[in-house]
Amino acid sequence: MQFNNNIKRITAVCLSLTMVVTMLPAGGMKAKTGSKDIRLWKKKVNVQEGKSCKVKYKASKKIKVKSKSRKIARASVKKQNIIIKGIKKGTTKITVSCGKTKAYIKVAVKKAISVPGSDELAVEVTAKPIVDSQVALNLDKCVTSINSFSNDMFSVQSNSDMSGGNNTFVSPLSMYTALMILANGARGNTKTQMCQALGIDNFDEYNQKIGAYMKGTLDPYVEFNVANSVWLNKNFGLFNTNINKEFIKPVTDIWNSEIKKVDSFNKTIVDDINNWCDKKTNGMIPEIIKYRPAYNKMAMMIINALYFNGRWYEQFSKWATVPETFKGKNRQSTVDMMTDGNAYYGYFKNDKIEAVELKYGNKSDYKNSCNYAMDIIIPADKNQYIGDIWNSMTADEKLHIIDNFGLKNGTGSGAKLRTLKIPKFKVEGNLDNPIEFLKSKGMTDVFSEAADLSAIGKKLFVEEIIHKAVIEVDEEGSKAAAVTVIAMPATSAYVKEQPPEIDFIADVPFMFIIRDRVSGTIIFMGQVNDL
């Protein structure tokens, strides 16, 4: 499987595309006419611009080939192969004629960026900064803090969504990042409370390590883009005269934050903010806030956007996707069920849950790739509901699920799955009441007149936090994005011994997690109750 693009909030991720050729059964595919005059071994191909691929054929006599658009792809015949060359990004069709019989090959031409040190352009590579794996490993205890925060945030929202019959999708890492940026401007008890809520025992250490981790992707074949911005109202007269040194410098140096100075947060500026989010999430979150007159009094806003786009390491074949029943929490529905089988995956099962790990990345470059994965979690007993099971688990049990898979450079459990079935899906989500969630973790001062944000200015407190996220999952991979906005008013206030073959069929409500496989840091969490 391989991956393309997916999630919501200001989280942006771009994914490089790996050339995928849909294989047919060994016997090939006959022309639709049923004639034995032509037999093609492939009916769909993907090819990069400037590259060629072969389609084996068998015919009773000489064949002719013709491209519907020679500007996109061209075709020729050489011995028992049809050679298709990609010219320009787009889709077209190759007609193969043998007498009066015709067959067709669908062609998708994709752009490709060369991989340094590689002669093969099998996968597009992101042009975004690459973060060395050692940076992720250096996170150390930061991972436990982030993942503990992630589980708490997910549990609060999933409980709310379960009662309303909705699906859940959030990016705790986006929320965590926005709060870290804000904490750079906090002092005194306000900062102490924020650190406790985020599980931080040494702010400077966490600030440097997590800031370095969030500067790019761990995988050249997976796009994980992080964008931060701080919007300041120039007409707010109580900003710290030393704000450049105490706040702006650390959030630009450590967090790569863009600084936007505006005259007020009027409708035009709100449109600018939405356009910024739209761009940073690759169109997945075109609007994060709606203008209201109260925004004119805002002193500043902090925004984080994440975008993730990855192709599956082992892609699902589109021809194997079939309609099947998904037995949801509230209803049954017919869904497009992606299917694979006779392949090894990270796998874990205990008396409560059963989980499989789906890697993202480039199959031909495992050493530098496959640094991200999605975990799909279903009940061990399908008569039970995954939400109830998750809520019954201890914090340690939840955190140790990832440990059961192991990390990329460690040991983990694996299994050969006889059948793997995962539905295609799209889920949009949000955090209903971020402020109440953070207050429940002891972070109270920052939302009141007791707030000490003196590194930024006087008489500032957080009035509003907005979080949105979205994910799309299909045969090629996943793309996801998330945005978090913090608004402050201007007021006086691996495989071991081969185990038995297993069928993993996600046709009931399930949880899923997107994380990196180097440190285990959770990026997105979701739960599908109904489709």
Side-chain angles (χ1 to χ4, degrees):
M1 295 184 301
Q2 294 161 322
F3 173 90
N4 243 354
N5 288 20
N6 283 308
I7 299 182
K8 228 182 192 175
R9 201 165 184 166
I10 300 189
T11 298
V13 179
C14 295
L15 174 63
S16 302
L17 302 182
T18 301
M19 182 180 77
V20 179
V21 177
T22 303
M23 301 300 297
L24 297 177
M29 172 163 283
K30 299 176 183 178
K32 290 183 178 179
T33 59
S35 169
K36 296 181 180 179
D37 290 346
I38 309 174
R39 181 171 293 176
L40 300 175
W41 264 249
K42 301 171 188 175
K43 65 175 181 178
K44 296 179 182 178
V45 296
N46 291 356
V47 62
Q48 279 97 18
E49 292 176 339
K51 293 293 178 178
S52 299
C53 65
K54 297 178 182 179
V55 176
K56 186 178 179 181
Y57 77 92
K58 187 174 182 180
S60 58
K61 60 182 76 172
K62 186 176 181 179
I63 67 169
K64 294 181 179 179
V65 294
K66 183 178 180 181
S67 174
K68 185 176 181 180
S69 175
R70 287 174 54 83
K71 292 182 179 180
I72 294 175
R74 298 176 185 177
S76 59
V77 180
K78 186 175 182 181
K79 296 183 179 180
Q80 291 302 116
N81 293 296
I82 298 168
I83 310 300
I84 300 173
K85 183 175 182 179
I87 305 299
K88 182 181 178 181
K89 182 180 178 181
T91 58
T92 187
K93 181 170 67 174
I94 305 295
T95 302
V96 184
S97 303
C98 182
K100 294 184 179 180
T101 302
K102 294 183 179 180
Y104 304 95
I105 304 170
K106 293 182 179 179
V107 180
V109 180
K110 302 181 181 295
K111 286 185 176 292
I113 303 172
S114 24
V115 185
S118 173
D119 295 324
E120 195 174 339
L121 297 182
V123 183
E124 289 183 3
V125 179
T126 174
K128 294 295 181 180
I130 307 298
V131 174
D132 189 86
S133 294
Q134 189 59 48
V135 173
L137 294 173
N138 289 343
L139 285 175
D140 195 24
K141 61 184 178 181
C142 302
V143 176
T144 301
S145 299
I146 294 171
N147 289 356
S148 178
F149 180 88
S150 297
N151 279 313
D152 290 346
M153 178 171 156
F154 170 78
S155 293
V156 166
Q157 187 57 40
S158 63
N159 286 335
S160 173
D161 287 330
M162 278 188 281
S163 62
N166 300 317
N167 297 324
T168 302
F169 188 64
V170 292
S171 174
L173 186 59
S174 175
M175 176 71 73
Y176 199 97
T177 299
L179 292 171
M180 285 290 292
I181 293 172
L182 175 62
N184 277 268
R187 297 291 184 266
N189 195 53
T190 299
K191 189 162 190 171
T192 299
Q193 289 182 354
M194 293 187 72
C195 287
Q196 290 174 346
L198 297 173
I200 296 172
D201 60 8
N202 184 325
F203 181 77
D204 290 340
E205 178 185 0
Y206 274 65
N207 203 36
Q208 292 289 341
K209 288 184 174 181
I210 300 175
Y213 173 77
M214 297 294 283
K215 279 188 165 63
T217 178
L218 296 171
D219 192 323
Y221 304 95
V222 172
E223 196 165 354
F224 177 51
N225 297 338
V226 181
N228 299 307
S229 59
V230 177
W231 301 66
L232 302 170
N233 185 341
K234 292 187 293 186
N235 293 315
F236 177 63
L238 298 176
F239 281 126
N240 182 352
T241 56
N242 209 20
I243 187 175
N244 287 337
K245 179 181 179 181
E246 294 187 32
F247 178 72
I248 291 178
K249 181 173 173 53
V251 301
T252 53
D253 290 353
I254 298 172
W255 293 95
N256 283 353
S257 295
E258 301 174 36
I259 306 300
K260 311 275 191 178
K261 296 182 179 180
V262 301
D263 291 323
S264 73
F265 288 90
N266 54 35
K267 187 176 186 305
T268 299
I269 299 304
V270 169
D271 288 343
D272 288 344
I273 289 171
N274 286 325
N275 289 337
W276 186 89
C277 296
D278 182 41
K279 179 180 178 181
K280 300 303 181 181
T281 61
N282 206 30
M284 296 194 75
I285 304 178
E287 182 180 84
I288 186 64
I289 56 176
K290 292 183 180 295
Y291 172 75
R292 52 191 176 90
Y295 282 147
N296 289 319
K297 297 181 179 180
M298 286 293 164
M300 66 180 290
M301 291 188 184
I302 294 172
I303 306 176
N304 166 264
L306 303 180
Y307 177 74
F308 178 90
N309 185 344
R311 288 172 73 93
W312 302 123
Y313 176 75
E314 293 280 0
Q315 281 195 330
F316 293 93
S317 296
K318 290 185 178 181
W319 57 264
T321 298
V322 295
E324 290 196 12
T325 299
F326 183 82
K327 298 177 277 292
K329 183 177 186 294
N330 303 294
R331 62 181 182 274
Q332 291 194 3
S333 59
T334 300
V335 301
D336 290 332
M337 191 70 75
M338 306 182 295
T339 306
D340 193 24
N342 294 319
Y344 282 93
Y345 290 87
Y347 177 80
F348 169 72
K349 184 176 183 179
N350 61 19
D351 61 337
K352 293 182 179 180
I353 63 165
E354 186 177 3
V356 66
E357 175 194 66
L358 309 180
K359 296 188 289 290
Y360 298 106
N362 181 10
K363 198 170 183 179
S364 65
D365 191 11
Y366 184 82
K367 180 180 178 181
N368 297 310
S369 188
C370 302
N371 289 334
Y372 294 95
M374 175 185 283
D375 303 326
I376 305 286
I377 306 167
I378 61 176
D381 176 0
K382 286 190 174 182
N383 292 317
Q384 297 186 9
Y385 172 54
I386 188 63
D388 294 337
I389 295 171
W390 186 257
N391 287 334
S392 72
M393 295 170 67
T394 66
D396 284 343
E397 284 179 313
K398 294 174 182 178
L399 289 173
H400 289 159
I401 288 177
I402 292 174
D403 296 338
N404 290 315
F405 286 118
L407 300 178
K408 181 177 179 181
N409 296 318
T411 57
S413 57
K416 185 177 184 181
L417 303 188
R418 179 171 55 200
T419 306
L420 172 65
K421 291 187 177 183
I422 306 292
K424 294 172 63 173
F425 64 91
K426 177 178 180 179
V427 173
E428 297 184 10
N430 61 276
L431 188 59
D432 289 340
N433 200 329
I435 292 178
E436 288 306 311
F437 162 64
L438 293 170
K439 283 182 176 180
S440 73
K441 294 181 70 64
M443 201 171 104
T444 57
D445 283 8
V446 76
F447 304 113
S448 70
E449 292 184 356
D452 182 353
L453 298 170
S454 54
I456 303 171
K458 298 178 181 179
K459 297 185 178 179
L460 287 170
F461 69 95
V462 174
E463 182 180 73
E464 182 178 26
I465 298 179
I466 303 169
H467 177 79
K468 290 184 179 181
V470 61
I471 183 170
E472 298 175 9
V473 175
D474 61 19
E475 294 90 350
E476 293 184 337
S478 312
K479 62 179 180 179
V483 172
T484 301
V485 176
I486 298 176
M488 285 160 276
T491 69
S492 54
Y494 297 161
V495 180
K496 299 176 181 178
E497 182 179 350
Q498 181 174 332
E501 291 188 343
I502 297 161
D503 296 327
F504 186 96
I505 302 174
D507 60 353
V508 294
F510 60 89
M511 279 185 56
F512 59 96
I513 297 170
I514 293 181
R515 59 179 170 85
D516 84 53
R517 297 181 66 237
V518 179
S519 69
T521 299
I522 293 172
I523 303 170
F524 297 96
M525 295 184 74
Q527 181 171 308
V528 174
N529 293 317
D530 294 288
L531 291 173

